Amino acid sequence: LGLSQEEAVIEARRWVAPPGTSEHHTGLALDIVTPSHQVLNHAFAGTDAGIWMAAHGWEHGFVIRYPEDKQDITGITYEPWHMRYVGKEHAAAMHAHNECLEEYVARLYGG
């Protein structure tokens, strides 16, 4: 692709968490697939499951961890399949304010 080593590392970090930094190891994050959509890609957002999770996940304490309109804040590419459990109270507040986790934490604790 013609990227320098530094540029390649920056680009890779948009797509892959460095070892030891993934939210999956916390047990609070999960990737969702369906029987008919077994890949992790942006097309998941248009599946029935993706549409439902985006509309109702927060009611059950889950948020899309890396929303499309928050990539500049999270530093991670949009991942409609990657859900994070934050609890019903926090998910409801994040939903009401259209916040990603970074914005919510900053609002609560300053930053």
Side-chain angles (χ1 to χ4, degrees):
L1 295 171
L3 300 176
S4 69
Q5 176 70 26
E6 182 180 345
E7 291 168 332
V9 168
I10 291 169
E11 181 63 18
R13 285 186 179 150
R14 292 182 62 230
W15 296 94
V16 180
T21 64
S22 170
E23 291 187 328
H24 290 284
H25 78 275
T26 67
L28 298 173
L30 61 132
D31 292 337
I32 305 217
V33 296
T34 70
S36 61
H37 193 91
Q38 292 284 306
V39 293
L40 302 177
N41 63 22
H42 294 162
F44 175 77
T47 66
D48 289 344
I51 293 166
W52 190 93
M53 288 303 295
H56 300 284
W58 68 272
E59 296 168 353
H60 304 277
F62 290 90
V63 296
I64 296 175
R65 179 62 181 94
Y66 305 114
E68 187 170 23
D69 61 340
K70 305 293 183 172
Q71 295 174 86
D72 58 327
I73 298 168
T74 66
I76 303 293
T77 299
Y78 173 48
E79 293 187 359
W81 63 86
H82 184 98
M83 304 302 292
R84 166 77 185 252
Y85 183 76
V86 295
K88 289 182 180 182
E89 177 184 346
H90 299 296
M94 290 170 66
H95 177 75
H97 290 92
N98 187 34
E99 294 172 322
C100 65
L101 187 57
E102 287 80 1
E103 292 171 308
Y104 181 61
V105 169
R107 182 166 61 83
L108 288 182
Y109 301 107

